[in-house]
Amino acid sequence: MSDAVEQYAALLQSFPATQQRHVEERAALTSEQLSASADIIKRHVQESAKLQSRHVTEQQAFSDRLSELHEQRQADLTHQRQQLQIEQENLAAEKASMQADGVSGGDILKLNVCGERTSATRGLLTQAQSSVLAAKFSGRWEGKHDMDEQGCIFVEYDPYCFGKILGFLRSKAIEHLDHPAARPVIDAEHEAQFNQLVSYLGLEDFVGLVGLHFCFDKHGPAIALSHNDTVASFQEGDGVSLCLLSPAMQPGKVYYLKFEIRSIGENDFIGVSAGLDTKDARILPEDAGWVRQGKGLSGGRHIDCAHWVGWQAAERYFMKIDLTPNVLYLDCVNEANELSLPIDNSSIAGGKGTEVKLLPVLKQDMENY
């Protein structure tokens, strides 16, 4: 009994020391926490100061760059105005010189178009004032044209295509707001050559021909091209054949493609494809476009296209290929379908029996789209 009492008495004696130790430990712990918190706050303040300083520096740099760009833009505009003024003065001087030499819009020019002779007034040939055709017959090259033995200006253009252009120019000269000149009707054999001549003479806007004009290029062995590579016929063969378009599309631009499905075959696909091997026309994960029976293809997967029943024979389609946000649009029978996709190369693929004809893109196509 006495031993227990002694142990209890010893415990009571040690209690104040133990309590004091606990107090000291808690005080030390609190001091460490306060010190750590102070360090954290200090670092936060330092980092905030650095961020603020960097923000001010970046803001100043941005403001300086903006001012620099504004000054450069103003300098460019001033230079452009000066160049425009110089060009206008040169043009006025040139016109005055031509008038002094007796050049007028009523001059009748005799032309030899690759053996076919015709004639037109200078005013008719210079209607599209900013065109190459207008520059050629404006009078500035008077006396420098190639002449034949009868004194006719020799023009080395296809007679059929140039004749269609002359006919259109005559219609434009007498057109009315209620009765605008109709675009020339070109037979399939000359269509590509006509479009090329229109582009060469700088008459795209005047004639109503816009956009980049494509033709069929690389293709599989089961495909036959005709009509200056604007018609692709998918003939006998197993599986799917691929036909690429030319010229190649460039990133950051918008392209328009107009085509007619002359006949529907097997596994028809029109869109964009990452596949460059025309001998192996497999569906790749990057492919996107439209296939038969109201289906689309995005990322290599088939998806439903609402309100679209699929390709129809003898129907015409208008496709917009936008390489800025990488979106492919299709307009068919007044219904639009949209797919998001990574775009690489425009292509048309099909099986036996497919025939596709590329068509020129006109101004009204752009306006209606």
Side-chain angles (χ1 to χ4, degrees):
M1 183 66 179
S2 60
D3 293 339
V5 172
E6 290 176 358
Q7 291 177 0
Y8 181 70
L11 181 61
L12 290 176
Q13 290 177 356
S14 65
F15 180 75
T18 302
Q19 189 177 26
Q20 179 64 29
R21 187 173 68 252
H22 289 168
V23 171
E24 292 174 353
E25 290 175 352
R26 283 198 299 270
L29 181 60
T30 302
S31 177
E32 291 176 359
Q33 290 175 338
L34 290 174
S35 177
S37 298
D39 290 341
I40 293 173
I41 293 173
K42 183 179 179 180
R43 286 198 302 270
H44 177 71
V45 171
Q46 291 174 344
E47 291 174 358
S48 297
K50 290 180 180 179
L51 288 174
Q52 181 67 19
S53 176
R54 187 171 67 183
H55 174 71
V56 171
T57 302
E58 291 176 351
Q59 191 174 31
Q60 183 61 43
F62 176 77
S63 178
D64 293 343
R65 178 58 177 163
L66 193 61
S67 299
E68 181 183 341
L69 290 174
H70 178 71
E71 292 174 0
Q72 181 63 43
R73 178 61 176 166
Q74 292 299 320
D76 291 342
L77 288 174
T78 300
H79 177 71
Q80 290 174 7
R81 292 192 190 100
Q82 292 172 348
Q83 290 296 114
L84 180 61
Q85 183 176 358
I86 293 173
E87 291 175 3
Q88 290 175 339
E89 292 174 353
N90 291 339
L91 181 60
E94 187 175 346
K95 286 183 177 180
S97 174
M98 288 189 295
Q99 290 175 355
D101 293 338
V103 174
S104 71
D107 295 340
I108 298 176
L109 304 181
K110 296 180 180 180
L111 307 176
N112 179 346
V113 187
C114 284
E116 293 190 11
R117 288 181 172 81
T118 186
S119 60
T121 64
R122 191 185 304 277
L124 182 78
L125 295 169
T126 57
Q127 281 186 77
Q129 296 182 4
S130 60
S131 67
V132 174
L133 180 66
K136 185 177 181 68
F137 294 105
S138 64
R140 68 182 66 178
W141 303 110
E142 204 70 14
K144 300 179 182 179
H145 293 291
D146 293 330
M147 313 294 288
D148 67 6
E149 66 280 1
Q150 296 183 13
C152 300
I153 299 174
F154 184 78
V155 180
E156 199 164 4
Y157 303 142
D158 179 81
Y160 173 87
C161 296
F162 192 69
K164 289 290 185 179
I165 291 175
L166 284 180
F168 177 75
L169 291 175
R170 294 186 178 104
S171 298
K172 287 288 288 185
I174 59 173
E175 72 175 352
H176 189 270
L177 289 176
D178 296 332
H179 300 285
R183 186 180 183 275
V185 178
I186 311 299
D187 61 41
E189 181 181 356
H190 292 89
E191 193 167 37
Q193 192 173 7
F194 173 80
N195 295 338
Q196 185 179 21
L197 181 58
V198 167
S199 298
Y200 173 76
L201 294 176
L203 297 171
E204 296 100 324
D205 290 340
F206 200 72
V207 175
L209 190 67
V210 298
L212 186 64
H213 312 302
F214 293 98
C215 63
F216 291 112
D217 188 13
K218 298 178 181 179
H219 58 84
I223 299 175
L225 304 183
S226 60
H227 296 84
N228 293 310
D229 297 337
T230 62
V231 175
S233 301
F234 295 74
Q235 302 175 341
E236 296 291 336
D238 296 329
V240 176
S241 293
L242 185 67
C243 189
L244 301 180
L245 303 182
S246 179
M249 298 181 183
Q250 302 298 323
K253 295 188 177 182
V254 179
Y255 297 92
Y256 299 92
L257 182 66
K258 188 177 178 182
F259 56 93
E260 177 185 3
I261 304 292
R262 288 191 166 185
S263 62
I264 301 174
E266 304 169 359
N267 304 314
D268 297 333
F269 163 79
I270 298 179
V272 296
S273 172
L276 293 176
D277 187 358
T278 55
K279 297 179 181 179
D280 184 14
R282 295 176 298 170
I283 299 300
L284 300 176
E286 296 83 3
D287 290 350
W290 284 268
V291 293
R292 295 185 63 188
Q293 299 175 347
K295 295 287 186 180
L297 186 70
S298 179
R301 296 180 296 102
H302 287 91
I303 60 175
D304 290 325
C305 292
H307 312 298
W308 185 54
V309 296
W311 303 120
Q312 301 293 311
E315 284 283 359
R316 293 188 172 190
Y317 299 87
F318 186 71
M319 184 177 290
K320 177 182 177 183
I321 304 169
D322 193 338
L323 301 186
T324 304
N326 287 345
V327 177
L328 181 67
Y329 304 88
L330 178 68
D331 186 18
C332 50
V333 198
N334 298 322
E335 293 289 348
N337 296 268
E338 179 179 329
L339 292 174
S340 298
L341 65 148
I343 294 178
D344 193 347
N345 294 281
S346 179
S347 64
I348 293 180
K352 181 176 64 177
T354 303
E355 185 170 280
V356 181
K357 175 177 175 57
L358 300 178
L359 303 172
V361 178
L362 309 178
K363 267 189 176 179
Q364 54 263 38
D365 297 321
M366 310 285 293
E367 295 169 355
N368 295 334
Y369 187 72

